Amino acid sequence: MQPLNLTTYPFKIKSSENKYFIFDIVRKKYVMLTPEEWVRQHIIHYLIEEKNYPISLIAVEKKVTVNKLTKRTDILVFNTKGNPHIIVECKAPSIKITQDAFDQIARYNLKLEANYLIVTNGLTHFYTFMDLEKECYVFLETIPKYEQ
């Protein structure tokens, strides 16, 4: 897999029938190792190991209904009250981050009302704070560490 602009973590990877699988510590199972999954697993470890978010507050591919359509967030981090806190949209490294990616995550956030949004392809990362009153996002250098 392509090196990313993120810390490298000790992933568990296995192969079967010429396919590779990576262990997802949130879902507690091996999942197919695609370029997007490679990015997602790096971000999960980043949130846990560098930003100190408890694994118990992280959901992967959580369903959300937007305009009567069922969608899935790549990563959703909850606060201790069970409310959405961070939504992460992961793209494969070959996919350029465009306004479409922000529009996609913003649509999810109309329903979820998370405080922070992250859009990444593993090479380029955008961190935003959602100002729900002004209905806009503010770009940040990073997201804050977990605080109880």
Side-chain angles (χ1 to χ4, degrees):
M1 280 285 146
Q2 176 177 353
L4 302 177
N5 187 12
L6 291 161
T7 303
T8 301
Y9 300 99
F11 296 111
K12 290 186 202 173
I13 297 175
K14 69 178 186 177
S15 65
S16 176
E17 299 177 17
N18 295 324
K19 293 180 184 171
Y20 287 93
F21 298 85
I22 188 167
F23 189 77
D24 181 322
I25 60 174
V26 174
R27 292 179 278 184
K28 296 180 175 54
K29 66 179 184 177
Y30 280 92
V31 295
M32 177 129 8
L33 181 54
T34 63
E36 182 179 325
E37 191 65 44
W38 183 238
V39 173
R40 178 175 18 223
Q41 292 306 315
H42 277 78
I43 295 296
I44 289 170
H45 283 262
Y46 167 78
L47 290 167
I48 294 167
E49 296 180 31
E50 294 181 38
K51 294 299 182 176
N52 300 323
Y53 285 90
I55 195 169
S56 60
L57 297 180
I58 299 173
V60 176
E61 293 194 341
K62 182 82 173 158
K63 287 183 184 178
V64 60
T65 303
V66 180
N67 298 328
K68 299 181 182 176
L69 298 173
T70 300
K71 302 289 186 179
R72 293 180 188 271
T73 60
D74 286 325
I75 302 169
L76 181 57
V77 181
F78 295 93
N79 63 22
T80 53
K81 295 178 182 173
N83 298 319
H85 183 58
I86 303 169
I87 306 172
V88 183
E89 179 62 29
C90 300
K91 300 293 185 190
S94 62
I95 305 295
K96 188 173 188 230
I97 303 296
T98 64
Q99 186 63 46
D100 288 344
F102 280 100
D103 292 346
Q104 178 182 357
I105 200 170
R107 279 192 299 277
Y108 296 169
N109 205 38
L110 288 174
K111 176 84 173 185
L112 297 171
E113 296 186 349
N115 300 316
Y116 298 94
L117 306 179
I118 300 172
V119 180
T120 181
N121 63 5
L123 302 173
T124 305
H125 323 289
F126 293 97
Y127 305 97
T128 64
F129 169 74
M130 289 302 303
D131 187 332
L132 296 173
E133 287 181 14
K134 294 181 183 174
E135 296 182 352
C136 67
Y137 40 82
V138 179
F139 286 92
L140 306 170
E141 289 292 317
T142 187
I143 58 164
K145 285 191 171 201
Y146 174 75
E147 294 180 21
Q148 285 185 322

